[in-house]
Amino acid sequence: MTLRTALVTGCSSGFGLGIAQALRDRGWRVMACVRDPQRAGTTLTGCEVVPLDVGDATQIGPLAARIDRLDCLVNNAGYALTGPLSTYDAQQMRAQLEVNVLGPALLIQALLPALVRAHGRVINVGSLAGEVGLPLNALYCASKAA
């Protein structure tokens, strides 16, 4: 029997860390993606720690090229740009959309052949902020709605 493999983004903390640990504890091979592998510490012991900034499209292709078969992709990485919309500059807004919208879409696209081979699944972690606007979170809410 082939070991099921999952790739989880945003594993430095929070939901991503918890998802990676839960899958690992259930016998999955887990590729735990983090922007900074030095921050992973021992919390991801038993997982393959993979450096990946989903906001950097140039990192996605080389990662996908290494993966032949994938049972589950969990697009969890994300962050919230907070404050009045009038205070964001163009670079901040692009970064928010790169991480929360474009990066996950490009990752799905790049990993689709491996997912198809395994009849795999994609889980996109969302937020209620995509359904209900929050003060001082306009762009984050928009990115989660996307």
Side-chain angles (χ1 to χ4, degrees):
M1 184 169 143
T2 305
L3 190 63
R4 293 180 296 178
T5 301
L7 185 140
V8 183
T9 65
C11 292
S12 294
S13 63
F15 289 121
L17 175 60
I19 292 166
Q21 291 170 331
L23 289 169
R24 174 202 62 205
D25 294 348
R26 285 170 177 76
W28 285 62
R29 173 184 172 231
V30 177
M31 300 176 74
C33 297
V34 297
R35 276 183 307 179
D36 181 4
Q38 300 302 322
R39 289 188 54 206
T42 60
T43 57
L44 291 169
T45 300
C47 298
E48 178 185 345
V49 176
V50 176
L52 177 67
D53 178 349
V54 297
D56 181 353
T58 65
Q59 294 183 22
I60 292 172
L63 172 61
R66 297 178 21 208
I67 301 170
D68 184 55
R69 184 180 184 287
L70 187 64
D71 297 282
C72 186
L73 165 62
V74 181
N75 274 319
N76 170 72
Y79 76 98
L81 180 60
T82 59
L85 181 63
S86 62
T87 65
Y88 306 157
D89 64 34
Q91 184 177 351
Q92 289 173 305
M93 290 191 277
R94 282 187 187 94
Q96 178 76 99
L97 296 172
E98 290 280 341
V99 171
N100 290 4
V101 181
L102 188 57
L106 291 171
L107 198 54
I108 293 168
Q109 187 179 49
L111 291 170
L112 201 52
L115 287 158
V116 167
R117 277 190 281 282
H119 301 287
R121 300 290 186 262
V122 176
I123 299 170
N124 290 315
V125 176
S127 170
L128 287 175
E131 301 292 325
V132 179
L134 301 171
L136 304 177
N137 284 275
L139 200 58
Y140 174 71
C141 293
S143 74
K144 294 317 268 185

